[in-house]
Amino acid sequence: MIPVQGYSGQRVGVLGLGRSGLTSARALREGGAVPLCWDDNPAAREAAASEGFEIVELGKAGAMDGLACLIVSPGIPHLYPNPNPVIRAAMVAGVPVDNDISLFFGSFATSEWDNLDVVPKIVAVTGSNGKSTTSALIHHVLKSVGRNTQLAGNIGRGVLDIDPAADGDVVVLELSSYQTDLARNLTPDIAVFTNLSPDHLDRHNGMGGYFAAKRRLFAEGGPDRAIVGIDEDEGLYLAGQLSQTAADDRVIRISVEQKLTGPGWQVFAKKGFLSEYRKGRQVGSIDLRPIKGLPGVHNHQNACAAYAVCRTLGLAPKVIEQGFASFGGLPHRSQIIAEAGGVTYVNDSKATNVDAAAKALSAFKNIRWICGGLEKEGGLEALQSATGDVRKAYVIGREAANFAMQLGSVEAEVCTSMEKAVKQAMAEVEEGDTVLLAPAAASFDQYDSFEKRGEHFADLVKAALAE
């Protein structure tokens, strides 16, 4: 655990007692602070009370008196669509509002670092899609070469729950827009921006606010090295803002849509081949096509970002390639769960928005596509250009009929349930087909999480194949 520095003897409010909230309370107490905890869920309050934490209704009159700050869990809105009443009360009272990510950045470095031979580094990864795979891939490659490394944030452990830094440690953080938007301290050594597509627009009041939340990791954090995907205008703009000149190699531009050969430092992938260029000359390359854990263009973008980070950390291209080759991929992200009778079954339940689903569709051929769920803002129009390899769609979710109507020329069957969708798809498959779960929607109309949705799909497929 990382004891929180700077609040010893002070009262600190903790709003939201899920994983990040409880961990924040523990880390605050470990650092000598006095956490005052609250959650609207009685079970969460009971769990915190059982660990000896003081439970205080932070929304009541006078609750903000004497608080040094208020630590907020990422799922609680602080501005849009409306501030949570407790957060509003803190702002009115002038109490600083912060989160666990900020506490981590303010507490990870200690005086004990003076005794380390190699100063630890923090790699922070953000973007709309590919954050988890990119973070896990960096972590995997570092582990494969024996580097001390920890994985935390939206993936792995909570940021304050990791171990204190070891000599030469590299902490890899996956950070969502909810986390970067509020954190008062953001100081990564290396920051990664994968891509941007519409998501969480209600929480950020539109695309401008969403991009601004991601941009804070770079503008506020001032990383020594920035790795930026430039296949969207926002990334192109961000890379330009961070560069002093075209040859400024503190910014590494990455792409899967164009060859990059300018005077700076670039990494791009075309037709399955990753290339690294510096000062207009190629200095490294990897054939990504045989790597089963990184299928499709979207994973090639993740590979470009991870490669750039590992090169910044001093790894040679061949060493990185060996690490990539042993990467098995992540659950629910283009995860091959079975191959039988010439048919491949793929779980990409993490494709919760249109852009992620389009990228999954582009990675496979002859697709029996299971899609649908809680539709996000923006509609499904952006999927139209990605459905060329879809043989048929099997639509799930409470609003399956409306979802199916938006799929244009794609043959679609309204199934509503995952059970019926899997049964129909498996009844109609032919050799060479791919049964792909890529919902292009959130899971919360039928499941507690995208993980539960993906696990249900995988269980149904495996049970049917075992019959």
Side-chain angles (χ1 to χ4, degrees):
M1 175 162 286
I2 307 299
V4 172
Q5 300 181 44
Y7 293 99
S8 182
Q10 300 183 65
R11 292 153 52 92
V12 178
V14 179
L15 179 63
L17 298 172
R19 184 185 74 161
S20 69
L22 260 183
T23 302
S24 296
R26 295 171 187 139
L28 283 160
R29 183 167 63 185
E30 190 74 16
V34 180
L36 306 182
C37 302
W38 182 254
D39 193 298
D40 290 339
N41 184 343
R45 298 198 297 268
E46 290 174 13
S50 71
E51 294 191 30
F53 290 112
E54 184 177 351
I55 306 301
V56 174
E57 187 176 350
L58 295 172
K60 69 180 181 182
M64 294 296 156
D65 295 348
L67 286 191
C69 71
L70 176 68
I71 303 302
V72 177
S73 293
I76 302 173
H78 57 274
L79 186 56
Y80 301 113
N82 294 294
N84 178 278
V86 174
I87 296 176
R88 181 185 288 278
M91 293 189 292
V92 169
V95 174
V97 179
D98 213 341
N99 64 12
D100 62 328
I101 303 301
S102 181
L103 294 180
F104 168 80
F105 277 111
S107 304
F108 186 52
T110 69
S111 59
E112 294 177 5
W113 284 26
D114 294 339
N115 301 318
L116 301 179
D117 292 329
V118 180
V119 174
K121 291 186 180 295
I122 300 172
V123 178
V125 181
T126 195
S128 295
N129 300 307
K131 298 186 298 295
S132 296
T133 298
T134 299
S135 301
L137 184 55
I138 296 165
H139 178 64
H140 173 81
V141 173
L142 292 172
K143 281 184 65 179
S144 74
V145 297
R147 293 284 292 269
N148 294 324
T149 179
Q150 301 186 71
L151 183 64
N154 263 7
I155 186 173
R157 301 159 72 179
V159 290
L160 291 168
D161 196 36
I162 68 172
D163 300 326
D167 198 39
D169 203 4
V170 179
V171 175
V172 184
L173 302 181
E174 179 199 340
L175 299 182
S176 73
S177 59
Y178 290 6
Q179 294 168 312
T180 58
D181 196 20
L182 190 59
R184 299 165 73 91
N185 294 309
L186 285 169
T187 53
D189 297 284
I190 304 169
V192 179
F193 177 88
T194 58
N195 51 57
L196 197 78
S197 61
D199 208 356
H200 310 305
L201 299 187
D202 58 336
R203 177 67 179 264
H204 298 293
N205 200 33
M207 279 294 286
Y210 180 45
F211 174 55
K214 301 286 189 185
R215 181 180 173 275
R216 289 192 76 249
L217 182 63
F218 302 83
E220 304 288 333
D224 296 330
R225 186 84 65 183
I227 291 136
V228 182
I230 62 168
D231 288 335
E232 294 87 30
D233 286 344
E234 290 87 352
L236 193 63
Y237 170 79
L238 178 61
Q241 278 205 316
L242 297 171
S243 302
Q244 292 296 322
T245 68
D248 188 348
D249 66 2
R250 294 173 305 169
V251 179
I252 305 176
R253 291 164 170 81
I254 64 172
S255 175
V256 289
E257 294 184 359
Q258 55 190 305
K259 182 178 181 179
L260 304 176
T261 58
W265 192 351
Q266 295 99 8
V267 179
F268 64 90
K270 294 288 287 184
K271 298 182 179 179
F273 288 89
L274 180 152
S275 298
E276 176 189 5
Y277 275 71
R278 295 198 200 186
K279 299 180 180 179
R281 299 181 61 185
Q282 185 171 355
V283 295
S285 66
I286 296 176
D287 184 355
L288 299 172
R289 295 173 301 172
I291 302 175
K292 277 199 167 185
L294 297 169
V297 172
H298 61 304
N299 274 310
H300 294 174
Q301 183 180 60
N302 301 333
C304 287
Y307 177 94
V309 170
C310 292
R311 290 290 280 146
T312 292
L313 293 171
L315 275 61
K318 286 296 182 185
V319 171
I320 299 170
E321 182 174 11
Q322 291 168 4
F324 282 5
S326 60
F327 181 67
L330 289 179
H332 316 296
R333 294 143 173 105
S334 294
Q335 176 193 17
I336 297 175
I337 58 170
E339 294 176 290
V343 178
T344 302
Y345 297 87
V346 179
N347 167 22
D348 203 332
S349 184
K350 184 62 170 66
T352 58
N353 59 44
V354 167
D355 186 65
K359 289 175 178 175
L361 291 171
S362 70
F364 302 98
K365 304 292 184 184
N366 303 321
I367 299 168
R368 304 280 177 177
W369 179 28
I370 299 176
C371 57
L374 190 62
E375 190 179 335
K376 295 186 176 180
E377 283 188 46
L380 306 178
E381 186 177 346
L383 279 171
Q384 300 301 322
S385 61
T387 56
D389 282 309
V390 175
R391 300 191 67 182
K392 184 176 177 180
Y394 306 81
V395 188
I396 64 173
R398 294 178 186 171
E399 303 296 329
N402 180 62
F403 196 100
M405 288 177 62
Q406 298 182 63
L407 296 181
S409 60
V410 175
E411 180 185 355
E413 180 172 346
V414 175
C415 297
T416 305
S417 70
M418 184 71 78
E419 289 87 351
K420 183 177 179 181
V422 170
K423 182 178 180 180
Q424 286 297 107
M426 294 185 73
E428 297 174 4
V429 291
E430 300 174 3
E431 186 175 350
D433 282 356
T434 299
V435 177
L436 171 66
L437 171 65
S443 60
F444 303 121
D445 59 334
Q446 293 182 309
Y447 299 93
D448 291 339
S449 65
F450 72 83
E451 291 96 339
K452 293 295 185 184
R453 177 172 59 189
E455 289 164 6
H456 191 201
F457 168 73
D459 289 345
L460 291 169
V461 168
K462 291 173 182 177
L465 291 176
E467 291 179 354

